[in-house]
């Protein structure tokens, strides 16, 4: 007569139980380092430059605000995690992501083939383009011969697509790389450089903030660039999670509201230093 107790020994039963448990836990076991870190620590560390208005900037109290900050808050809330913002120079963001010092980059970062070699991108969550901030006389000089023929000095954020744009589109110009926009704007107003190349929203904002400086910008951007959220290329599960949240934000109208708040309404400018 068949006796189950004889056929399946305790050791075999335990082994079967562990096998079943491992199958149930397979998704967790396969989760990448970033996803594990966020879930276990219940903290989402978001890197941004902190000086790219209206995407991210500091108010008079020294607190970060902007489109990217609101988007980062939405991501942290969805993950049931506390948000930790980690401001640093724009050029250091990708290295910090690779080193695991931050979990994600939300900093008006354009999606490019070069950057995609070191990180994976979700988005775009906004479209922007390159423009020039300069005095009227300087911008007329640049426009008269075309950006490709200009031989003036142009400032741009170090490691940014703006810097790459100057090198490629204005080969006769002298590129001056800076750590932040304030440094570049000071150089423009002092005449140290002819203009600053940056994203169109940044240029428009600085014209509004400096009404007496005689600054102007182009009516239409020179390029079209998609902004994306950068995550570690070694964590597809976390990438998929962020992608799903971003799709939901687009579908529910959250991204539209953020665009209206930070790109169409200028009332927040009063909160700046």
């Amino acid at each position: 007569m068949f006796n189950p107790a004889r056929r399946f020994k305790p050791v075999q039963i335990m082994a079967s139980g562990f096998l079943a448990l491992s199958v149930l836990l397979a998704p967790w076991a396969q989760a990448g380092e970033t996803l594990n870190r966020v879930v276990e620590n219940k903290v989402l560390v978001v890197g941004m430059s902190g000086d790219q208005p209206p995407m991210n900037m500091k108010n008079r109290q020294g607190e970060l605000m902007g489109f990217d900050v609101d988007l980062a808050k939405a991501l942290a809330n969805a993950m049931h995690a506390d948000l930790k913002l980690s401001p640093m120079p724009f050029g250091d963001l990708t290295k910090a992501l690779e080193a695991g010092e931050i979990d994600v980059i939300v900093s008006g970062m354009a999606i490019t083939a070069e950057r995609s070699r070191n990180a994976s991108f979700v988005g775009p969550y906004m479209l922007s383009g390159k423009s020039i901030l300069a005095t009227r006389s300087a911008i007329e000089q640049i426009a008269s011969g075309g950006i490709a023929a200009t031989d003036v000095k142009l400032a741009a954020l170090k490691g940014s697509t703006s810097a790459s744009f100057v090198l490629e589109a204005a080969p006769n110009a002298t590129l001056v790389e800076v750590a932040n926009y304030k440094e570049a704007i000071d150089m423009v107003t002092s005449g140290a450089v002819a203009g600053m190349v940056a994203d169109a929203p940044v240029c428009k904002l600085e014209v509004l903030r400096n009404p007496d400086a005689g600054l102007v910008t182009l009516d239409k951007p020179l390029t079209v660039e998609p902004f994306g959220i950068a995550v570690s290329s070694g964590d597809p599960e976390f990438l998929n999670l962020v992608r799903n949240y971003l799709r939901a934000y687009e579908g529910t109208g959250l991204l539209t509201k953020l665009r209206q708040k930070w790109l169409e309404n200028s009332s927040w400018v009063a909160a700046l230093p």
Side-chain angles (χ1 to χ4, degrees), residues 73-137:
K73 289 178 180 178
L75 288 173
N77 288 337
M79 296 179 191
H80 302 289
D82 293 330
L83 174 63
K84 179 181 178 181
L85 297 176
S86 181
M88 65 184 70
F90 188 88
D92 295 342
L93 288 170
T94 302
K95 293 181 180 178
L97 181 67
E98 293 175 350
E101 297 171 3
I102 56 178
D103 301 319
V104 63
I105 299 173
V106 186
S107 190
M109 180 170 280
I111 303 172
T112 67
E114 184 66 27
R115 287 178 178 152
S116 296
R117 297 171 63 184
N118 302 311
S120 296
F121 283 90
V122 178
Y125 61 88
M126 200 184 89
L127 293 177
S128 184
K130 295 306 173 195
S131 191
I132 300 175
L133 177 74
T135 61
R136 185 169 299 280
S137 60

